[in-house]
Amino acid sequence: MATVATEPFEGQKPGTSGLRKKAKEFRRPGYTENFVQSIFDAIGTADLTQSTLVVGGDGRYYMRDALRIIVQMAAANKVGRVVVGKNGILSTPAVSTLIRKRKSLGGIILTASHNPGGPDGDFGIKYNTGNGGPAPEGITKAIFEKTKSIKEYRICKEVQVRLLQKDWIMTLYTVKAEFDCIGEQTFLGGQFVLEIVDSITDYAALMKEIFDFDLLRTFLSGGKFRILVDAMNGVMGPYASRIFCEELGAPAESVIRNVPLEDFGGGHPDPNLTYAADLVAVLKKGEHDFGAAFDGDGDRNMILGRGGFFVNPSDSLAVIAAHNQSIPYFKQTGMKGMARSMPTSGAIDRVAKEDHFSLYEVPTGWKFFGNLMDAGKLSLCGEESFGTGSDHVREKDGLWAVLAWLTILATSKQSVEQVVNSHWTKYGRNFFTRYDYEGVESVGANEMMEKLRTIVANPADVIGKEFAGKDDNRRYTLSACDDFRYEDPIDKSITEKQGVRFIFSDGSRIVFRLSGTGTGGATIRLYIDSFESDPTRQMEDAQVALRPLIDIALEISQLQKHTGRTEPTVIT
Ligand code: G16
């Protein structure tokens, strides 16, 4: 057991979802150790000997080393038991499942989610609390404070972790009878237990409680309804193969890129139209009825229909909300309430209003849903950033979203496109788009945000002003603007500066914020949401329908002047 002297590293500040940096940064001697010790120091519980900590990640480069360090530091910090997925592999929703099932103190997730991996890619460490969800702001702030004054960390190198073999990922996924290292190993005279569990079993069991697997098996087996699921060489390959193919009978070729790779095969494991373009291209051939993709750690999802019909994540959430009673879990537990992040379109608001459910609007970040769920006020929520989930865990859950969609398709007997079109006919359509400008110089991006904040700080100067796009005669009158501020309805904590909003008299919204998950420069996100009740215009392309508001957003922000960018990196 050693206490090692150290000095603080600058900038160990958790962002939207944990600390994300280049893997190279985490590999600096002491960098990972400092952050992990700061987590233990911030937890502040004097006696951890009766506590369980769950640790796992998406298999990206550096995960094995980080896992070894965390296990050895947990032992040195007197944690009683650490539960690890086999060879470290656990999807983010699977970590949440295990934390809750084991009534753990919390968990540490090793992922940078949708960010690229490999030696030049990104890595991340996130602490989740005992409810299974990402640590709330109060705790992440406390962790950051500890990183600024850390003087020593504790590590116990006697704890040798046997699961770290050469070719560790291949060993896990190519050997069939692979559970030989599953079980408990005891160290330090019985004071520390390392328990290796199958990465999938508990998660799959939870899915079986939520959904009607008999219904889904009849729907998928025999390949009558053809699905294609792209795991993007992230953590989800084994989960998707086990659940869609082994459990539900879809043909083995229904899951592609299903081997987790340290560098995601050189790809960008972000399920959107740009980074999952290959899947979209295959769906366009019209040979499949349904397509889906997951991100690196399995909490995000993208839904496609026959011919590559794209379901915007905000619409996906609203559709699941409208069909919630076709999902056995919601039938049993009741729909306690719905929520979305602020930039997410108002599509779900219309379902909540029409069907009389409470609707909450929180800042970007899954951590903001946790308190509402714990208080029994929230069952279903989602974000425009391809995140959808429910209170079955405290993370967004990509595979859950796909099973929800398959349930809707199996019960409604409609195609994806028909389900979405009928939804728009009933509730109206919220056109939505997001423009991402990735890797922008931080100086220009910050300048732009400051200018926007100055505008909204003096609303009287702009409210009532009329705006129009370049080539369009539609006029939009500004009715409100602000920098989104959130008061948590449960613990009353305040979170400020969560996105600059311009709201027009017809309800259309333009929102600007900087991403809190990137690692290189800044990423500007521009979100546009506009409701269309006229059925003759609802089938229009979102980019065409929103063109005037996009022009207005670029004009108000002077984005090109501040960043030099004429085009976004990703359009959703
Ligand atoms: C994380 C959070 C999400 C958030 C997303 C994007 O997702 O869990 O709640 O919407 O980041 O955040 P930003 O716009 O700040 O980049 P993930 O999948 O990256 O963990």
Side-chain angles (χ1 to χ4, degrees), residues 15-18 20 92 111-115 126 134 270-271 295-300 341 343-344 363-369 382-387 395-396 434 436 513-518 523 525 527:
T16 310
S17 195
R20 288 188 192 165
T92 291
T111 176
S113 183
H114 54 290
N115 296 12
K126 182 169 81 159
D270 196 354
D295 68 341
D297 63 326
D299 54 2
R300 297 185 178 206
S341 66
T344 303
T364 294
W366 207 261
K367 58 193 169 199
F368 293 105
F369 295 125
E383 296 185 279
E384 47 61 42
S385 54
F386 295 85
E395 288 280 5
K396 54 190 183 278
R434 184 176 102 179
D436 296 333
R513 57 181 285 283
L514 296 184
S515 159
T517 58
T523 293
R525 303 210 195 281
Y527 313 81

Side-chain angles (χ1 to χ4, degrees), residues 96-119:
S96 192
T97 305
L98 272 171
I99 294 174
R100 294 170 68 77
K101 186 168 178 194
R102 296 303 194 90
K103 301 201 177 355
S104 308
L105 166 76
I108 296 180
I109 309 184
L110 305 172
T111 176
S113 183
H114 54 290
N115 296 12

Side-chain angles (χ1 to χ4, degrees), residues 200-209 213 239 242-243 247:
I200 307 166
T201 303
D202 289 306
Y203 177 79
L206 180 61
M207 291 302 109
K208 280 186 199 168
E209 286 171 24
F213 267 43
Y239 291 84
R242 170 93 64 99
I243 292 174
E247 294 275 358

Side-chain angles (χ1 to χ4, degrees), residues 148-173:
K148 292 196 265 185
S149 57
I150 188 164
K151 292 196 175 63
E152 58 186 38
Y153 63 83
R154 290 183 284 287
I155 191 155
C156 182
K157 296 209 168 162
E158 291 78 20
V159 176
Q160 285 297 326
V161 186
R162 279 209 314 257
L163 74 164
L164 304 174
Q165 308 139 350
K166 194 167 171 284
D167 297 334
W168 57 293
I169 283 181
M170 294 317 290
T171 312
L172 174 58
Y173 297 113

Side-chain angles (χ1 to χ4, degrees), residues 172-373:
L172 174 58
Y173 297 113
T174 56
V175 178
K176 254 287 182 208
E178 78 268 80
F179 300 140
D180 53 336
C181 70
I182 283 177
E184 291 186 4
Q185 299 166 50
T186 305
F187 299 88
L188 311 176
Q191 283 173 38
F192 178 68
V193 179
L194 176 64
E195 181 182 349
I196 316 282
V197 296
D198 175 53
S199 311
I200 307 166
T201 303
D202 289 306
Y203 177 79
L206 180 61
M207 291 302 109
K208 280 186 199 168
E209 286 171 24
I210 294 172
F211 297 100
D212 181 346
F213 267 43
D214 290 336
L215 169 86
L216 294 173
R217 201 174 297 113
T218 309
F219 190 56
L220 291 183
S221 59
K224 296 182 292 288
F225 183 89
R226 291 195 68 198
I227 65 168
L228 191 64
V229 176
D230 187 352
M232 299 187 88
N233 292 127
V235 75
M236 287 311 284
Y239 291 84
S241 294
R242 170 93 64 99
I243 292 174
F244 297 124
C245 306
E246 289 176 34
E247 294 275 358
L248 299 176
E253 64 271 16
S254 306
V255 183
I256 53 171
R257 295 204 277 178
N258 61 346
V259 177
L261 298 175
E262 286 200 330
D263 65 349
F264 307 109
H268 196 136
D270 196 354
N272 59 36
L273 294 172
T274 301
Y275 297 121
D278 291 355
L279 176 73
V280 180
V282 178
L283 262 287
K284 280 196 171 148
K285 291 183 189 162
E287 292 163 8
H288 298 87
D289 302 293
F290 178 87
F294 302 118
D295 68 341
D297 63 326
D299 54 2
R300 297 185 178 206
N301 74 92
M302 176 171 75
I303 303 291
L304 300 169
R306 182 172 270 277
F309 179 85
F310 170 67
V311 185
N312 188 290
S314 300
D315 284 333
S316 172
L317 174 63
V319 166
I320 297 173
H323 290 262
N324 75 80
Q325 286 305 299
S326 63
I327 297 168
Y329 176 82
F330 290 134
K331 251 194 195 155
Q332 284 153 20
T333 60
M335 176 50 61
K336 296 168 194 150
M338 301 175 172
R340 62 167 169 82
S341 66
M342 181 273 282
T344 303
S345 95
I348 190 173
D349 303 30
R350 297 180 195 283
V351 179
K353 191 164 177 220
E354 182 110 341
D355 301 347
H356 309 290
F357 296 116
S358 319
L359 189 276
Y360 301 89
E361 182 183 42
V362 309
T364 294
W366 207 261
K367 58 193 169 199
F368 293 105
F369 295 125
N371 276 350
L372 289 163
M373 288 184 178

